[in-house]
Amino acid sequence: MSDTAKTYKIGQHPDLPPPRTEVGVLGWFKHKLFSTPLNIALTLLAAWFLWSVIPPLFEWIVLDSVWTAESRKECWGKMEVPEGGACWAFIKDRLELFIYGFYPAPQRWRVNLSFVLLIMAIVPVLYDKMLARKFGLWYSVAFPFIAGWLLVGGFGLTPVETDQFGGIMLTLIIGVTGISFSLPIGVLLALGRRSKMPVLRIVCVMFIEFIRGVPLIALLFIASTMLNYFLPPGTVFDLLLRVLIMVTLFSSAYIAEVVRGGLQAIPNGQFEAADSLGLTYVKAHLLIILPQALKISIPGIVNTFIGLFKDTTLVLIIGMLDPLGIGRASLADAVWAGLAREVYLFIALFFFICCFSMSRYSLYLERKLHTGH
Amino acid sequence: MPTIATDGIAEDKIRHPTKKLTISEEVAIEMVAVHKWYGEFHVLKDINLTVNAGERIVICGPSGSGKSTLIRCINRLEEHQKGKIVVDGVELTSNLKNVEIIRSEVGIVFQQFNLFPHLTVLENCSLAPIWVRKMRKAEAEEIAMKYLERVRIPEQAAKYPGQLSGGQQQRVAIARSLCMNPRIMLFDEPTSALDPEMIKEVLDVMVELAESGMTMLCVTHEMGFATAVANRVIFMDFGEIIEQNEPHNFFNNPQSERTKLFLSQILHH
Ligand SMILES: Nc1ncnc2c1ncn2[C@@H]1O[C@H](COP(=O)(O)OP(=O)(O)OP(=O)(O)O)[C@@H](O)[C@H]1O
Ligand SMILES: [Mg+2]
């Protein structure tokens, strides 16, 4: 008080610290939680809500949960109140099924190896500061084919039928394939839609509009039933492969529209500047236009990817056993029946972790690429 | 000395005009009976213009008269529909190879700078030498630094365009064009998006460039600059070249009524 009230000669005013109630923890509480009567009411309401939800949930999930048991009966027997806690023993018992589906047990190392290789393929894509990133990226491009060979087999490895694929592994296969192929295809579609060549433009527009106008489930049914009519009789066209193609095409149509939005936001001057320096169409797009357009499109692209990842659960409908399918099948087992909450919570947690990581990474990327002021 | 506004130009540049520089007989740009339409709108009408190598030409005229369009036809950012444009001996046709050759020989500086915001100043400058001229990165960066020094902002090389002032950005844009070692430089109102105190720093760079003998076509209303460096001032209105003259005569002895009206408007505010 005394300090601020003091008068100083003009030009002599020293730098003073801000009042203590305006900054730091105290300032934060004052401004963010208790600034107006409405704000105070909302703060109290939220606090009451959290207080009444979190402790019971925590008790059920952690404190009163049972981790080892052979059946639901034994599980509930171990609790003070039957059903008073989660029976995670069930998930533990079925964990391998949730991860590998019906992939033959002696061959599961191939799935594990593919997973490790996947992580190694993701790193160079996500981190541009990596050493020898160029080689890393070549490896990332090759990865889907290496993993395909590892998982399906042949050429020296015991073949495994794709209908034995399932669980988290299946989700990752569909999700990763869809994500990594739909981005380049989507970018090409977006550029095609803006092309000055009418035929190319019309083909792209028709493709995008058709795919966007049909539900994914319908496309999956088409993949599982109708494609046979179009193929010469006797050709074997793997169901998983058809699903992969449909999911990729589906999300590339969405990516195309998101990227087109980004392209439209690039001022004409950028195209003109690139042209006037003598850059060709391809170079101008690779070096100038797409880096900017994709940067603007990051939220939309990641949104589409998250949607795709969650939509992989739809393969359940055409009889593929993704984690949700495995979960439903497991619940049919009389020994464990009745533990639906545990199953769905576990599956929800898996999807949440994957999608939330994507979302956080996109925020990180947006911050990193921010160069304007 | 003509009695016109000289704001923005260093006084000594006015007292020692640079137009004594020799102009070669070699033709840099030739436009013969060029017409252009935007849809139904006839924007360039029968443009005939020959620019010799080393010439410095200022184009002025009211808004909408087709100055930008004219200058942009020279590196085919706009397409003309009738007539012939020959740049450095290469005719501009729909042949993409020719267009690319001409674009790499002709630099253009825009009113809105059009720097690449996702690249640093140094990357902006070295990009075209690397990808169009196929230069090694180190060499291209060396050249980029040379031109950044010439426009007096080498210390900004590592920054992004968004972190620079307008005047600095425009000087980077000039350096970016110069890195391609162009034979001809086009300027489309390079100073009209700038605050007054920044105009001078850009004009100074352009005056120096003129002194080095660069062939320049410049759309500008900076009459001080025109008197200091131009060999010829061209006045356009309604898509036509109304009048062209050596700057002293152009300002003091305009021939057409429209030119007189235009000059009285820009010199009296
Ligand atoms: N892409 C376009 N499509 C249609 N009309 C256009 C287009 N670009 C310019 N014009 C019109 O052509 C005329 C000439 O435009 P131009 O940009 O060449 O004028 P300018 O002399 O450069 O004017 P300013 O001093 O305002 O920059 C204007 O009437 C303008 O409205
Ligand atoms: Mg203009």
Side-chain angles (χ1 to χ4, degrees), chain B residues 63-64 66-69 72 111 188-189 219:
Chain B
S63 180
K67 309 177 297 288
S68 299
T69 310
R72 289 155 59 88
Q111 181 176 353
D188 190 359
E189 306 206 34
V219 176

Side-chain angles (χ1 to χ4, degrees), chain B residues 10-244:
Chain B
E11 278 303 318
D12 57 320
K13 293 281 155 47
I14 305 295
R15 266 181 265 117
H16 308 286
T18 49
K19 57 194 152 202
K20 298 281 166 331
L21 277 171
T22 49
I23 297 163
S24 89
E25 294 296 304
E26 192 191 330
V27 175
I29 303 169
E30 193 180 17
M31 300 178 88
V32 184
V34 171
H35 289 258
K36 170 164 182 65
W37 289 263
Y38 283 123
E40 291 291 303
F41 178 57
H42 201 168
V43 52
L44 292 181
K45 300 166 187 161
D46 193 27
I47 302 288
N48 290 284
L49 178 67
T50 305
V51 181
N52 287 348
E55 254 197 296
R56 297 167 301 281
I57 293 181
V58 162
I59 302 172
C60 60
S63 180
S65 55
K67 309 177 297 288
S68 299
T69 310
L70 171 74
I71 219 170
R72 289 155 59 88
C73 279
I74 295 172
N75 69 349
R76 208 161 179 100
L77 287 181
E78 300 290 351
E79 224 171 286
H80 61 286
Q81 279 102 26
K82 231 176 115 184
K84 190 167 94 166
I85 303 179
V86 182
V87 180
D88 241 349
V90 182
E91 184 173 355
L92 272 175
T93 57
S94 46
N95 180 341
L96 274 181
K97 266 268 128 352
N98 282 0
V99 173
E100 271 162 32
I101 293 172
I102 286 172
R103 280 178 177 165
S104 65
E105 299 293 335
V106 178
I108 184 164
V109 174
F110 303 90
Q111 181 176 353
Q112 298 300 341
F113 330 135
N114 294 347
L115 293 176
F116 305 131
H118 63 301
L119 301 176
T120 63
V121 165
L122 188 65
E123 288 165 342
N124 263 277
C125 293
S126 58
L127 179 112
I130 292 173
W131 292 96
V132 180
R133 293 262 191 259
K134 310 267 187 283
M135 232 177 247
R136 277 181 304 109
K137 187 165 175 238
E139 194 185 346
E141 286 183 347
E142 200 176 305
I143 288 174
M145 282 314 291
K146 184 178 106 190
Y147 284 108
L148 286 173
E149 261 154 45
R150 226 171 117 179
V151 301
R152 291 188 281 275
I153 35 175
E155 73 282 358
Q156 312 287 0
K159 287 198 186 161
Y160 286 94
Q163 300 167 306
L164 303 184
S165 75
Q168 291 172 324
Q169 290 193 47
Q170 193 60 298
R171 285 185 284 152
V172 173
I174 295 174
R176 178 176 71 178
S177 287
L178 291 179
C179 284
M180 285 295 281
N181 198 14
R183 314 268 298 256
I184 300 165
M185 281 291 285
L186 310 173
F187 293 84
D188 190 359
E189 306 206 34
T191 56
S192 43
L194 299 177
D195 292 337
E197 68 266 31
M198 295 170 192
I199 291 178
K200 182 178 175 307
E201 62 188 48
V202 171
L203 287 180
D204 283 347
V205 166
M206 289 170 62
V207 169
E208 268 173 41
L209 192 60
E211 283 168 345
S212 74
M214 176 68 75
T215 311
M216 288 166 70
L217 258 83
C218 185
V219 176
T220 183
H221 292 153
E222 292 294 331
M223 293 307 150
F225 174 77
T227 8
V229 304
N231 322 87
R232 220 188 323 165
V233 179
I234 290 178
F235 175 68
M236 287 185 74
D237 202 0
F238 299 111
E240 287 179 285
I241 295 181
I242 303 289
E243 168 164 1
Q244 44 180 312

Side-chain angles (χ1 to χ4, degrees), chain A residues 270 272 275-276 283 287 371, chain B residues 72 103 115 117-118 131:
Chain A
Q270 293 291 310
E272 290 178 352
D275 284 349
S276 70
K283 283 180 193 164
L287 299 167
T371 57
Chain B
R72 289 155 59 88
R103 280 178 177 165
L115 293 176
H118 63 301
W131 292 96

